[in-house]
Amino acid sequence: MNASASIEPFESVTSLQDAAIDAICNRILECAQQKDQVNISLSGGSTPKVIYGRLTQRDLPWDKIHLFWGDERNVPHDHDDSNFKMVKTVMLDHIEIPAANVHSVPVNVDDPKAAAEQYEQEMRDHFCGQENPQWDLTLLGMGDDAHTASLFPETTAIDASDRWFVENWVEKFDAFRYTLTAPAINSASEIWFLIAGAGKKGALAKVLSEDRQPALYPSQLIQPTRWFVTQDAIA
Ligand code: 6PG
């Protein structure tokens, strides 16, 4: 884990979101000046949802921005639990972005393995056979169980080092999830955690502790470059 990345404390989730929105816009504009594509891996969850919605009010080069999902639930895209539906509702329906730039997970409820393999191939094709996905920015949340993306404690995806994107059986949900693997997250040039709420305090303390047990605290697998954290989540 990148110990050098410092925690940036925020008084409230709103001030965290304000800062994250500006940082994301600056990152996008910086990359868009240098490249013809800006490749972003999105997080699910409630913390980034407001951020996605407010990005629609910014003047961004959506024709250059390629959106991928860092994780997804094994439900159709029109299901209320779908991370795609969340992003579509608050962001995609309010911006002009080429359909080819929106790389949603090809969910196959009955065959999540095939869907994960298909999505990984789409990523590999997009990144032209690179050894790892070259995200310009990966956004991540963290659960109160120290999971990130859909790398949940004591699940097989934690050890999937030879893959970029996998299906992951999560016992506590009695369901499959889809997730980037830790190496496919860590290959990003910027990796930002967005962590808000007192409910995350225990998990964050464990993740930052010397007690290195990534099987129990999967966020320890990640080498973040920035931590956006509300004060009440900091022990
Ligand atoms: C998901 C997310 C998940 C999320 C954390 C934190 O699909 O739910 O990818 O990893 O980031 O659970 O969620 P909150 O931001 O809602 O606390």
Side-chain angles (χ1 to χ4, degrees):
M1 189 170 67
N2 179 346
S4 64
S6 57
I7 300 275
E8 299 166 60
F10 294 91
E11 279 302 310
S12 67
V13 64
T14 303
S15 60
L16 181 154
Q17 289 163 339
D18 291 346
I21 288 161
D22 287 343
I24 291 166
C25 291
N26 292 338
R27 178 65 183 154
I28 288 171
L29 294 172
E30 171 196 5
C31 292
Q33 282 178 346
Q34 299 159 10
K35 309 191 298 141
D36 58 7
Q37 281 184 357
V38 184
N39 294 305
I40 301 174
S41 169
L42 300 175
S43 168
S46 58
T47 308
K49 182 174 179 179
V50 170
I51 292 168
Y52 300 153
R54 289 176 54 191
L55 284 175
T56 64
Q57 294 143 32
R58 298 294 185 96
D59 183 16
L60 295 171
W62 293 109
D63 60 320
K64 286 192 167 186
I65 298 169
H66 284 258
L67 300 173
F68 289 80
W69 275 251
D71 72 311
E72 185 54 283
R73 288 80 181 279
N74 193 32
V75 294
H77 283 165
D78 60 359
H79 190 288
D80 285 347
D81 289 344
S82 165
N83 283 335
F84 171 77
K85 180 175 181 181
M86 180 269 281
V87 175
K88 180 179 187 295
T89 304
V90 302
M91 181 160 73
L92 302 180
D93 287 348
H94 307 279
I95 58 174
E96 294 292 319
I97 185 169
N101 292 23
V102 179
H103 304 266
S104 59
V105 178
V107 170
N108 179 337
V109 176
D110 298 325
D111 191 348
K113 181 175 185 300
E117 289 168 350
Q118 181 183 333
Y119 197 49
E120 175 165 325
Q121 191 55 56
E122 179 174 347
M123 289 179 184
R124 288 180 182 276
D125 293 344
H126 181 77
F127 289 109
C128 304
Q130 300 261 15
E131 194 177 335
N132 287 300
Q134 306 297 305
W135 311 114
D136 297 298
L137 175 60
T138 296
L139 297 175
L140 296 170
M142 189 188 74
D144 57 11
D145 60 357
H147 84 264
T148 188
S150 282
L151 298 168
F152 283 87
E154 298 180 300
T155 58
T156 55
I158 287 172
D159 301 315
S161 56
D162 58 339
R163 293 283 304 278
W164 290 12
F165 193 82
V166 293
E167 76 286 358
N168 193 28
W169 176 256
V170 185
E171 192 60 35
K172 73 176 183 179
F173 297 138
D174 191 31
F176 277 99
R177 286 282 191 98
Y178 298 94
T179 187
L180 283 174
T181 60
I185 292 171
N186 287 325
S187 58
S189 47
E190 288 290 334
I191 306 166
W192 299 351
F193 267 119
L194 309 169
I195 300 172
K200 307 295 174 74
K201 183 184 285 188
L204 183 58
K206 284 289 187 187
V207 168
L208 295 174
S209 76
E210 294 306 312
D211 176 18
R212 183 159 174 78
Q213 296 189 72
L216 297 179
Y217 319 122
S219 292
Q220 287 185 336
L221 294 167
I222 308 307
Q223 297 156 6
T225 53
R226 294 185 74 170
W227 298 81
F228 295 77
V229 184
T230 55
Q231 195 66 50
D232 59 359
I234 300 171

